Amino acid sequence: MVIPPLKARKMKKMKVIHFIWSASFGGIEKVVIDLCKAQKASGNCDPTLLIGAKKGSFIEKIEKSGISYLFGGFKSGSALSPRLYKNLKSVMQQYDLIHLHTFNPLVCFAAVKSGKPILYTIHGNFNFGRKMRLNDHINQYLRKLFFNHFINHITFNSEFTKSTAIKRYGLDNVPSTIVYNGIPLPPADFTSQITGSPNLFVVGTSSRFAGFKRIDRLISAFGLFAQDKSDVKLMLVGDGVLRAALEQQVKDLNLSDKTEFTGYRPDVSNCQSAMNVCVFPSNNEPFGLVAIETLSLGKPTIIFNDGGGMKEILSKELPDDIVKDVKDLALRLEYYYQHRYTEDTSQTALRKEIASRYSVEKMEQQMNAVYSILLAS
């Protein structure tokens, strides 16, 4: 879909309700919170967050942001309470538009029955690398039914997400738009509060420790690269279900004295600033906000050829930072290690310029255009 020029989209302030399942740490939650903050700041619409379950570390962040929010009252994702449905429907009827970011059958049914326009953003949580269970098959069938027959518009966060969703759900007759995720760009005078050692070359990542993030590929490549080097360090920022397995991999490769597991850090930009090179070894990543974050700091940012939506960020202007396998990554790390004292300022500027194309303000403007189309139809 072609988004009309901004000047053609003037309209009254819209009341929009966004649904996310929880306020737990995650990419979807972060991008939705940032979008709501940008919407509130722009004045184009009046956003409210509907949070299904009352849990998550982002609740404090939401409160500090001044965003309006309320809880859906869910105890589990399979709840089918008539009272809960009635409450959800009543709440949704108070808004001009419903923007769903997470699939939940009861929420979706309430949204349909509210009579309001429905926009669904497919963020790309396709469960790659995990064996499909019976519940997954049922949910996939329900999503396909809902997407094709009960919503007004779909947005995707990348071409990769769009093509994968079409293969999985069809979506032949559903109006859709690609709206890339955006981040709050750091100020020009941003200074990290973590000072990296001038004597250490730091390779790092910031990620959930989940299967498709493939942190194991980074550790393996670092093991090859770090041989016979005493001035290198691997910084792994984040946490998750695979942490114990990754810690064991580090021990097995005798990298414990060169590796730091920081755990979850709210000051992730400071950690990224302490890295000489940032690596995101994901397989089939729907988009990859973290790559935008590190590019915005001017950092060399390396991804894999099977990185999904991340390739759309780097492929045109930084193809050398897209590697094909673990050995290729080790060679690319060696390149940056050998050139660590001769920074290419033009490349640093290019990385920051690429990141500027994915600001949260641009995402808000594009999403506002989609809202306008829906409410005008």
Side-chain angles (χ1 to χ4, degrees):
M1 169 172 287
V2 177
I3 296 178
L6 285 175
K7 63 182 181 180
R9 299 192 257 116
K10 288 187 177 181
M11 59 183 305
K12 70 175 185 177
K13 197 170 185 179
M14 300 168 277
K15 290 184 65 179
V16 179
I17 188 165
H18 296 263
F19 173 70
I20 56 176
W21 173 245
S22 74
S24 299
F25 170 72
I28 294 175
E29 292 76 16
K30 182 181 185 303
V31 76
V32 175
I33 292 168
D34 285 341
L35 173 60
C36 287
K37 289 169 66 176
Q39 289 176 335
K40 183 179 176 66
S42 73
N44 287 324
C45 75
D46 183 12
T48 295
L49 268 174
L50 172 60
I51 306 168
K54 190 177 182 179
K55 61 180 180 179
S57 58
F58 278 164
I59 291 176
E60 183 179 355
K61 180 179 180 180
I62 294 167
E63 289 176 342
K64 289 181 178 178
S65 72
I67 300 168
S68 299
Y69 69 96
L70 49 93
F71 294 105
F74 282 88
K75 300 298 182 184
S76 74
S78 58
L80 294 174
S81 160
R83 180 186 60 80
L84 197 55
Y85 156 73
K86 185 178 179 181
N87 289 342
L88 289 168
K89 177 184 172 183
S90 177
V91 166
M92 291 175 176
Q93 286 176 329
Q94 300 172 39
Y95 293 84
D96 299 312
L97 187 145
I98 300 165
H99 191 165
L100 305 177
H101 300 269
T102 306
F103 181 80
N104 175 274
L106 192 65
V107 171
C108 292
F109 184 58
V112 172
K113 290 300 182 180
S114 74
K116 301 296 182 176
I118 302 171
L119 170 65
Y120 195 103
T121 292
I122 297 182
H123 290 273
N125 47 339
F126 296 118
N127 295 322
F128 286 118
R130 183 166 71 81
K131 186 177 180 180
M132 292 277 285
R133 298 168 294 188
L134 176 61
N135 189 55
D136 295 319
H137 286 289
I138 293 171
N139 264 317
Q140 183 165 309
Y141 171 77
L142 292 174
R143 287 173 193 245
K144 185 174 183 179
L145 183 69
F146 179 64
F147 293 158
N148 283 281
H149 299 287
F150 295 103
I151 61 176
N152 302 90
H153 203 100
I154 288 178
T155 60
F156 307 98
N157 60 3
S158 68
E159 290 281 2
F160 172 78
T161 297
K162 179 179 179 178
S163 63
T164 304
I166 287 173
K167 289 176 185 176
R168 187 164 294 193
Y169 305 121
L171 310 177
D172 295 329
N173 300 310
V174 185
S176 66
T177 306
I178 292 176
V179 177
Y180 284 103
N181 288 342
I183 66 165
L185 297 174
D189 59 350
F190 172 79
T191 302
S192 174
Q193 296 178 15
I194 299 178
T195 304
S197 169
N199 300 318
L200 276 181
F201 181 83
V202 180
V203 177
T205 194
S206 47
S207 172
R208 285 186 300 114
F209 295 166
F212 77 98
K213 297 294 185 179
R214 294 303 309 272
I215 309 300
D216 61 297
R217 297 202 286 195
L218 170 56
I219 294 172
S220 296
F222 183 80
L224 295 175
F225 159 73
Q227 291 178 9
D228 304 320
K229 293 184 178 72
S230 60
D231 59 346
V232 297
K233 175 183 175 181
L234 178 61
M235 181 187 291
L236 302 176
V237 180
D239 214 334
V241 294
L242 294 183
R243 177 163 177 167
L246 297 174
E247 289 175 335
Q248 186 60 51
Q249 183 186 5
V250 166
K251 290 179 183 177
D252 293 342
L253 293 175
N254 297 316
L255 295 172
S256 297
D257 60 336
K258 295 179 180 178
T259 303
E260 177 185 3
F261 286 86
T262 72
Y264 167 72
R265 292 285 295 262
D267 60 337
V268 66
S269 293
N270 289 317
C271 295
Q272 292 165 344
S273 292
M275 301 172 188
N276 294 88
V277 178
C278 305
V279 182
F280 302 106
S282 299
N283 171 232
N284 291 327
E285 182 78 49
F287 178 69
L289 278 174
V290 284
I292 302 299
E293 291 172 353
T294 56
L295 287 170
S296 73
L297 298 172
K299 297 292 179 177
T301 300
I302 304 175
I303 66 168
F304 274 73
N305 193 49
D306 60 4
M310 279 189 175
K311 282 184 65 178
E312 296 169 41
I313 302 168
L314 298 182
S315 59
K316 290 183 180 179
E317 290 144 312
L318 296 170
D320 291 342
D321 287 332
I322 303 175
V323 298
K324 63 179 184 293
D325 54 30
V326 166
K327 289 183 179 179
D328 202 18
L329 173 56
L331 290 173
R332 194 61 180 160
L333 293 176
E334 183 68 30
Y335 168 83
Y336 281 115
Y337 177 78
Q338 295 296 335
H339 293 82
R340 64 192 183 279
Y341 299 123
T342 55
E343 180 183 10
D344 187 338
T345 55
S346 66
Q347 286 294 98
T348 302
L350 175 60
R351 295 181 194 114
K352 292 182 178 181
E353 195 279 322
I354 292 171
S356 71
R357 304 170 196 169
Y358 300 93
S359 70
V360 69
E361 289 81 13
K362 289 185 179 179
M363 177 178 64
E364 184 276 327
Q365 290 172 2
Q366 292 181 317
M367 203 64 79
N368 183 60
V370 176
Y371 293 173
S372 301
I373 292 167
L374 286 175
L375 292 177
S377 60

